[in-house]
Amino acid sequence: MTKIPLLNGLRALAIVGVVWQHACWRFFEPGAHPLAVGGFNLPANPLASNGWLGVNLFFFCSGLVLYLPYCSGTRQFASLADDRWFWSHRAKRLLPLFYFSLLIGCATFLDAADVNSGVLLRALLAFLGLSTFFQFSFFPVGNWVLWSLEIEILFSLIFPQLARIAKARGIIAVLVSSVLLGLALRALGNVFFRGEPYLNFVSDNIFGRLDDFVWGMFAADLYVRGKLPRRASLTYFGGALMLAAGVTSDLWYVGALPIATQSLTYGLFDVGVFLMVSGLLAGRSVLRTVLELAPFQVLGMMCFSIYVWHGIILNHLFPHIVDAGFSPRELVAGLPLFLFLLAAISAMSYRFMEFPSSTLAELFMLPRLGAVAGLTRLRRPRAPDPDRAGEGQAGHHASAGSTRGEASLGEATHTDPLVPLNTTSARP
């Protein structure tokens, strides 16, 4: 079966969008430079102002790779023991870095004067993974970006039952139900509970974002059954829908569309991602070739560490970057150092915390990168142990024989969007 490293490339796009959003958003705020067309102001920068949709892409990838082994029959939830196995491996993958970064964030941002009953309650909810159910605590204290990791953790808790329902009732029934639930909660949240410009505790809790994951599950199901639409033209149609989601969000942000229309943005984006992935899987294309290049693969494999640390680095070491009075010239001057520190800290976290037993060659694809640079090739990564194929969860199954960032979608593939597709030797 064809090996595909496409998901790592998609993760690379997602993490670039998220970091861009948090570091540069003030200079590309929706409505800042509108285009006047026929007396109507259109957003001039829907790509630059909507990097936050990278989180939706992460959720889609989560649903896809988590569900693959189960809809293909490689794994199953036949008993509570299977559930416990799944939860245990997900916990080993997600929780150590989640809690470590939360502790670092609290130690970095809080001092004795900041500690009160409200802060302690927010900290407790963050450590319980329940911050996103309340507006006052939606962004976890110490490291606000961990809200989406809480959603990932909660999805992992309900995933076994969700997979059982999909098997008994059909994935389409699960998809339709999750889409309708998401639309209702996002409409309710945006009309009555709007807090931050984009996120609130009604629209963006696990139930409001469930359809992001289920669209990925739907793609996995169709792929395994050989019914995934695979026309190259779908890449462009999907990309157009993703762009339309950004335009819709920008028009909503500036008040040009009714406030409830933001509930449609996620759906447009999810359908666009589904179609784009279908098109990319149809065959070779320029975009797929680029996403499969080694730099994009490594960036995608490091996305967990990059995501976890970029908020702390940005807020603690470069708070002026997100200040309203920060000039474009100051951004250009400060951004390179921010990116360098982010890359260095994320690389160490990825190497020593996520996969301490893997080699540098495996984690950073050094043979391929060395060949591109014309350097002497390092020794090739060890071939994965066939006896361990399909082990290691925390969102992660790699097929036997899949190395260097490649995994087969139909085999015991990776089941975690935050784990590299080539680290079969890194799992317990």
Side-chain angles (χ1 to χ4, degrees):
M1 188 170 289
T2 304
K3 311 288 184 178
I4 68 164
L6 176 62
L7 291 180
N8 280 334
L10 293 176
R11 294 181 187 120
L13 292 181
I15 195 61
V16 167
V18 170
V19 173
W20 170 272
Q21 176 80 16
H22 293 154
C24 306
W25 179 81
R26 288 195 181 278
F27 302 102
F28 300 94
E29 186 174 358
H33 308 286
L35 295 175
V37 178
F40 190 73
N41 290 331
L42 293 178
N45 52 358
L47 289 178
S49 60
N50 287 284
W52 60 277
L53 286 168
V55 172
N56 300 54
L57 183 53
F58 278 132
F59 291 165
F60 179 94
C61 291
S62 292
L64 193 156
V65 295
L66 279 172
Y67 194 50
L68 272 171
Y70 293 95
C71 66
S72 67
T74 305
R75 296 276 180 191
Q76 60 179 337
F77 290 114
S79 66
L80 183 58
D82 294 323
D83 295 17
R84 288 197 296 264
W85 181 91
F86 176 83
W87 291 327
S88 173
H89 283 74
R90 283 293 279 175
K92 290 176 183 177
R93 172 63 183 133
L94 297 178
L95 296 185
L97 194 51
F98 174 85
Y99 283 123
F100 182 70
S101 68
L102 196 58
L103 286 170
I104 293 295
C106 289
T108 300
F109 290 116
L110 300 179
D111 55 39
D114 296 320
V115 178
N116 54 47
S117 59
V119 170
L120 291 176
L121 178 58
R122 288 183 61 199
L124 175 62
L125 291 171
F127 277 91
L128 293 175
L130 301 176
S131 295
T132 53
F133 287 108
F134 308 93
Q135 190 63 38
F136 78 93
S137 64
F138 185 90
F139 298 102
V141 62
N143 192 356
W144 93 95
V145 303
L146 293 183
W147 74 268
S148 67
L149 265 296
E150 287 192 9
I151 300 297
E152 291 270 5
I153 293 167
L154 293 171
F155 178 71
S156 297
L157 289 176
I158 67 174
F159 177 74
Q161 189 59 31
L162 201 63
R164 289 190 179 95
I165 295 173
K167 183 178 181 179
R169 302 288 184 178
I171 189 63
I172 292 180
V174 176
L175 177 64
V176 171
S177 299
S178 67
V179 168
L180 293 177
L181 177 63
L183 284 173
L185 289 176
R186 290 193 290 269
L188 180 66
N190 282 300
V191 171
F192 296 105
F193 300 100
R194 185 178 178 183
E196 293 293 322
Y198 294 104
L199 303 172
N200 64 73
F201 76 106
V202 176
S203 299
D204 299 283
N205 62 40
I206 177 59
F207 303 108
R209 303 303 293 264
L210 186 60
D211 55 336
D212 294 337
F213 294 94
V214 178
W215 272 106
M217 294 174 62
F218 180 56
D221 180 85
L222 292 183
Y223 186 91
V224 167
R225 294 192 290 118
K227 295 185 177 181
L228 189 69
R230 299 183 67 172
R231 296 188 180 92
S233 59
L234 292 178
T235 302
Y236 308 105
F237 187 43
L241 286 181
M242 293 164 70
L243 183 63
V247 172
T248 301
S249 181
D250 285 357
L251 291 174
W252 162 83
Y253 185 88
V254 300
L257 290 177
I259 193 169
T261 57
Q262 181 69 345
S263 62
L264 303 175
T265 299
Y266 298 171
L268 276 176
F269 189 82
D270 289 337
V271 174
V273 171
F274 171 79
L275 294 176
M276 183 186 71
V277 170
S278 300
L280 289 173
L281 291 175
R284 305 305 304 176
S285 65
V286 174
L287 178 57
R288 180 171 176 176
T289 299
V290 170
L291 292 177
E292 292 178 356
L293 292 175
F296 282 89
Q297 293 294 293
V298 174
L299 187 62
M301 291 188 291
M302 289 178 59
C303 67
F304 188 11
S305 284
I306 295 172
Y307 185 86
V308 161
W309 297 116
H310 83 278
I312 290 177
I313 297 172
L314 190 62
N315 267 23
H316 185 61
L317 299 180
F318 300 91
H320 50 287
I321 286 183
V322 295
D323 288 344
F326 198 55
S327 70
R329 179 175 296 182
E330 291 172 310
L331 174 66
V332 172
L335 198 57
L337 180 57
F338 162 68
L339 294 176
F340 172 78
L341 290 176
L342 176 60
I345 293 173
S346 299
M348 289 188 290
S349 171
Y350 171 61
R351 170 65 179 87
F352 296 107
M353 292 194 65
E354 293 191 62
F355 303 105
S357 62
S358 295
T359 66
L360 290 175
E362 288 174 319
L363 294 178
F364 296 99
M365 303 177 70
L366 295 179
R368 190 179 302 178
L369 292 175
V372 171
L375 302 175
T376 302
R377 283 182 177 270
L378 302 177
R379 69 177 180 85
R380 301 177 72 84
R382 297 189 307 271
D385 182 354
D387 293 334
R388 294 170 60 82
E391 275 188 23
Q393 170 71 43
H396 329 76
H397 291 291
S399 60
S402 67
T403 60
R404 298 168 62 178
E406 299 178 347
S408 171
L409 275 183
E411 300 171 38
T413 318
H414 252 291
T415 58
D416 194 318
L418 303 176
V419 124
L421 290 175
N422 70 331
T423 52
T424 48
S425 64
R427 301 183 302 274

